[in-house]
Amino acid sequence: MSIIRRVRDMTVATLNERLEKAEDPVKLIDQFLWSTREEIIGAERLFQQCLTHSNHLKAQWLQAEQLKEKREQQAIIALKAGEEHVARIALTEKASSEERATQYRELYEQALHGTTELEQQLRELRSEYQTVYDKREYFSARMESLRLQQRMNERYTGGSANGPGQQPGGMFRKLEDRISDMELEARSLRDLRKAGGQLLSEAGFALQNTIEREMEQLKRKLQQEGWKS
């Protein structure tokens, strides 16, 4: 495991520990994302430099391989022409080119291994950044829900215009009780009016009987006095 990977693991572990105690996890995550983004930018720059260097080493290796083959062909041509001295010179340069090709190939393979490892770490950094960013969005949504819930609690426990305890259910129950009282009063008045009408009707009938009796009495009195109807 590389030093960069160990540093990243320690950073994530520290973040997890601090998140458990943080009052504002979103702020802490933002700090982590910023530092991770800076590291990604640096790793991308380093990766491009390593890639360029690897390509240069590969070019040197292939060039040495081509020169080795060329010197071998020249040595063959020189031998066919009877020029053994020239052939030896060509073979000497071939050996030098072969040694150089081996050296550049080894350097290229080492650089390629390092570049591949760095590329893998870069992918992990980007994946880690995206994972933490998604968590940041989740925690941000939770914090916003918490803030809104706190505002609602303040409104309905002390800041409501209806005052403490004045919930809609309570208000409608009071209104229903009031309407029920009014309905009861209206029914009572209606029954009273009905009863009063009956009493007046009965009173009128009794009064009429009384008047009729008095009329009969008056008629008898007048008859006694000689009045004829």
Side-chain angles (χ1 to χ4, degrees):
M1 181 182 293
S2 67
I3 296 177
I4 295 178
R5 189 67 258 164
R6 288 197 296 269
V7 170
R8 291 304 307 160
D9 288 344
M10 288 188 293
T11 303
V12 173
T14 303
L15 174 65
N16 290 332
E17 293 176 359
R18 295 178 63 184
L19 278 176
E20 295 178 358
K21 304 176 183 179
E23 295 181 0
D24 189 350
V26 176
K27 183 177 180 180
L28 182 60
I29 291 175
D30 284 341
Q31 294 175 353
F32 176 83
L33 288 175
W34 181 86
S35 62
T36 303
R37 180 57 183 166
E38 290 296 313
E39 187 169 356
I40 290 175
I41 293 174
E44 289 175 340
R45 186 181 299 112
L46 178 60
F47 174 76
Q48 290 299 325
Q49 293 173 351
C50 290
L51 189 61
T52 300
H53 180 62
S54 297
N55 292 334
H56 173 72
L57 293 175
K58 183 178 181 180
Q60 292 293 326
W61 164 40
L62 295 179
Q63 182 180 359
E65 286 285 349
Q66 291 175 355
L67 185 59
K68 180 189 73 171
E69 295 175 359
K70 181 179 180 180
R71 292 292 183 260
E72 183 177 355
Q73 292 297 323
Q74 290 174 341
I76 293 174
I77 294 173
L79 283 176
K80 289 180 178 181
E83 300 286 342
E84 294 186 1
H85 176 70
V86 175
R88 287 189 178 90
I89 294 175
L91 289 177
T92 302
E93 292 183 357
K94 173 194 171 186
S96 178
S97 297
E98 186 175 5
E99 181 181 5
R100 189 165 63 254
T102 301
Q103 292 173 341
Y104 276 109
R105 179 175 56 82
E106 292 176 353
L107 288 176
Y108 169 72
E109 290 176 351
Q110 294 175 3
L112 182 63
H113 176 74
T115 302
T116 302
E117 182 180 0
L118 180 58
E119 184 179 15
Q120 176 63 27
Q121 293 177 10
L122 186 56
R123 282 197 297 266
E124 292 176 0
L125 279 175
R126 290 168 177 164
S127 176
E128 184 178 275
Y129 180 91
Q130 186 62 45
T131 299
V132 176
Y133 179 81
D134 292 340
K135 287 292 185 181
R136 189 263 184 204
E137 294 299 294
Y138 169 71
F139 279 115
S140 178
R142 286 185 61 182
M143 291 295 292
E144 181 64 17
S145 297
L146 177 60
R147 281 191 288 267
L148 292 175
Q149 185 62 51
Q150 289 174 341
R151 291 178 60 186
M152 286 190 289
N153 291 341
E154 293 174 357
R155 177 176 178 81
Y156 287 104
T157 56
S160 176
N162 295 324
Q166 297 295 323
Q167 299 298 326
M171 291 189 294
F172 283 117
R173 282 194 295 272
K174 290 184 178 181
L175 181 58
E176 184 177 353
D177 293 341
R178 182 180 177 187
I179 293 175
S180 297
D181 292 340
M182 294 174 65
E183 289 175 342
L184 179 59
E185 182 180 351
R187 285 196 299 268
S188 299
L189 291 175
R190 182 188 60 194
D191 294 341
L192 180 59
R193 292 191 189 96
K194 183 177 180 181
Q198 292 177 349
L199 290 174
L200 289 175
S201 178
E202 293 175 359
F205 181 75
L207 178 60
Q208 185 177 0
N209 289 337
T210 301
I211 293 174
E212 291 298 329
R213 286 194 301 271
E214 290 184 357
M215 285 290 292
E216 291 298 327
Q217 291 176 0
L218 287 176
K219 287 181 180 180
R220 286 194 296 270
K221 183 178 179 181
L222 291 174
Q223 287 176 354
Q224 292 176 359
E225 294 179 355
W227 178 77
K228 295 181 179 179
S229 58

